[in-house]
Amino acid sequence: MASSYPRPGWAEQSALDIWASVQAVIADIMARVPAGIAGIAIANQRETLVVWDAQTSQPICPAIIWQCRRTADASAALHAAGHNAAVEAATGLAINPL
């Protein structure tokens, strides 16, 4: 999957390319397994984010990937305001630009 860097510190991938690769793998498995698929699981790096439009089923922006630092200032501000403990308690993850 090709990554793009549209601005300094930003990193993204095409959400449609990610979805097309998932569809291609499923089609390949279906062609090889005559009985079909009994179950499916998807795992990723957890930091990749895609927002899809519920009406059009299209992504509203590229997938923001783990290398992206566009939220570094906002993350630092949340830390400075003392919100990290609450976020970590609720999610299991510390505030981080990832």
Side-chain angles (χ1 to χ4, degrees):
M1 196 75 42
S3 297
S4 64
Y5 306 92
R7 297 183 188 175
W10 288 33
E12 7 183 270
Q13 293 177 340
S14 167
L16 292 175
D17 287 351
I18 293 170
W19 179 234
S21 71
V22 170
Q23 291 176 306
V25 168
I26 291 171
D28 183 53
I29 292 169
M30 292 299 292
R32 295 173 190 231
V33 182
I37 299 172
I40 187 167
I42 298 174
N44 70 5
Q45 294 173 316
R46 295 185 342 169
E47 289 88 3
T48 300
L49 176 68
V50 176
V51 179
W52 299 87
D53 184 300
Q55 293 180 352
T56 66
S57 298
Q58 296 296 308
I60 64 166
C61 63
I64 300 169
I65 62 175
W66 69 272
Q67 296 167 309
C68 192
R69 304 294 296 172
R70 72 183 75 188
T71 63
D73 291 342
S75 295
L78 290 168
H79 263 286
H83 296 295
N84 189 64
V87 170
E88 193 165 357
T91 67
L93 299 170
I95 295 173
N96 188 302
L98 295 177

